[in-house]
Amino acid sequence: MTETEIPDDHPRYASLVTRHRIEAGVEQGITSKQGLIAQGRGEAFDYLLGERTLPSADAAARAAAATLLLADRPVLSVNGNVAALAPSETVELAEAVDADIEVNLFNHTDERVRRIADHLREHGADEVKGLAGDGEIPGLDHARGVVDADGIEAADVVVVPLEDGDRAAALAAMGKTEIVIDLNPGSRSPRTADVPIIDNLLRAVPNMAAHARDLADATPAELERVVDEFDADAALDDAEAAIREGSFADGDDE
Ligand code: PTJ
C-alpha cells in the first residue's frame, strides 16, 4: 500500500502513514535501518500516550517556540528519521523562527548527509548545513561529534529531535540551550533538555511552528515569560503519568 492508498478513515491512519514514510526513507537512502527500530520504539510510546499531544507537551512546544524566537543563532538538527517523517514541516518551522537547518547524523556517512540535504531542498529548504563538517562536539568520537563550525558548533539554541543521550549531554556541556522532541519521557535526552517535548515529532514540529507564528509579535519580555512559566520536570512527570495511567482500550483495532 502506498501512502496515497491508505484510506484516511482507517483507525490507524497516522501510524500507517508514518510507517510508510520511514520505509520510503530507508529505500531512498535517507533513513538508517536503525531508524526503523527507533520508529518502532517511538510508536509504542505514542500508543501508550493515546497518540495525542498532551497539554503539557503543547506548553513545551510553546516554550520551545519562544526560546527559538529569543535565540541569536538557532539551529534545527535533522537526522534520517526527521527527514523522512517531516521534511516540509521542518522547513516551515525554520522559516517561522528564522533558524538554520543542519543535517546531523548518529550513523554518519557523507552520502546520507548529501541525500538528506537534497531531500530537504526538494521540500523548500534554501540552505542546509552539515556538509562542511568543520566543527565538533567535544567529548564524542569523531564520527558522532562532527558538525558545522558555523552551524551547531556556533548555535546558542538547538532543536534535536530523537537525539541519543550521549550527544544530548555533550551539547548541554557546550552550553547550548537544548529543545528535545522524544516520545519516551524516561530517555536521557529529554531529561537533559532545557525544553523536553514529549510528543510525536509529526505533531510537535508543526505545533512549534504554529506557536511561533502566534508569538511572532510578542515582545522579548513576553517571550521570556512563556519560557519561565514552563516547568520541564513537571512536563516529564506528566507524560510519564499519562503513559502509566493510560487506557489500552481504544488501540486494539489494527
Ligand atoms: O539518522 P541517524 O543516523 O542520525 O539515526 C537516528 C536514530 C533515530 C536511528 C538514532 O538517533 C537512534 O538510534 O535513536 P534511538 O537511540 O533509537 O532513540 C530514538 C528515540 O526517539 C526513542 O526514545 C524513541 O521513543 C523516539 N522516537 C522515535 N520515533 C519518534 C520518537 N520521538 C518522537 N517522534 C517520533 N516519531
Side-chain angles (χ1 to χ4, degrees), residues 18 22 30-43 45-46 78-82 85 104-108 112 116 161-165 167 181-184 187 189-190 197-202:
T18 306
I22 286 285
I30 287 171
T31 309
S32 70
K33 285 186 187 162
Q34 284 187 23
L36 292 168
I37 299 165
Q39 169 61 30
R41 284 171 67 191
E43 200 173 293
F45 280 104
D46 205 12
V78 173
N79 65 19
N81 286 48
V82 180
L85 291 178
N104 187 236
L105 301 180
F106 181 70
N107 307 293
H108 183 102
R112 200 151 64 87
I116 292 174
L162 281 67
E163 188 55 277
D164 75 291
R167 287 203 309 184
I181 305 169
D182 196 313
L183 278 156
N184 178 3
S187 219
S189 31
I197 306 176
I198 308 303
D199 201 3
N200 194 320
L201 77 92
L202 268 163

Side-chain angles (χ1 to χ4, degrees), residues 98-118:
D98 198 15
D100 281 340
I101 296 177
E102 177 163 341
V103 181
N104 187 236
L105 301 180
F106 181 70
N107 307 293
H108 183 102
T109 68
D110 287 345
E111 177 59 23
R112 200 151 64 87
V113 175
R114 262 194 301 276
R115 281 180 196 233
I116 292 174
D118 288 346

Side-chain angles (χ1 to χ4, degrees), residues 127-236:
E127 197 196 341
V128 180
K129 295 189 190 288
L131 296 155
D134 52 354
E136 64 162 340
I137 307 173
L140 298 176
D141 63 73
H142 175 71
R144 289 171 60 224
V146 64
V147 289
D148 277 15
D150 67 348
I152 288 177
E153 189 178 273
D156 55 348
V157 176
V158 280
V159 179
V160 277
L162 281 67
E163 188 55 277
D164 75 291
D166 272 5
R167 287 203 309 184
L171 284 167
M174 286 175 88
K176 314 286 182 205
T177 297
E178 273 185 272
I179 298 165
V180 168
I181 305 169
D182 196 313
L183 278 156
N184 178 3
S187 219
R188 204 147 53 97
S189 31
R191 295 201 160 266
T192 306
D194 299 274
V195 184
I197 306 176
I198 308 303
D199 201 3
N200 194 320
L201 77 92
L202 268 163
R203 298 189 295 270
V205 175
N207 196 22
M208 287 161 75
H211 280 299
R213 285 190 283 267
D214 189 49
L215 291 166
D217 297 326
T219 63
E222 285 165 340
L223 294 173
E224 269 153 26
R225 199 172 328 121
V226 173
V227 175
D228 289 345
E229 281 170 1
F230 174 69
D231 182 338
D233 290 332
L236 291 168

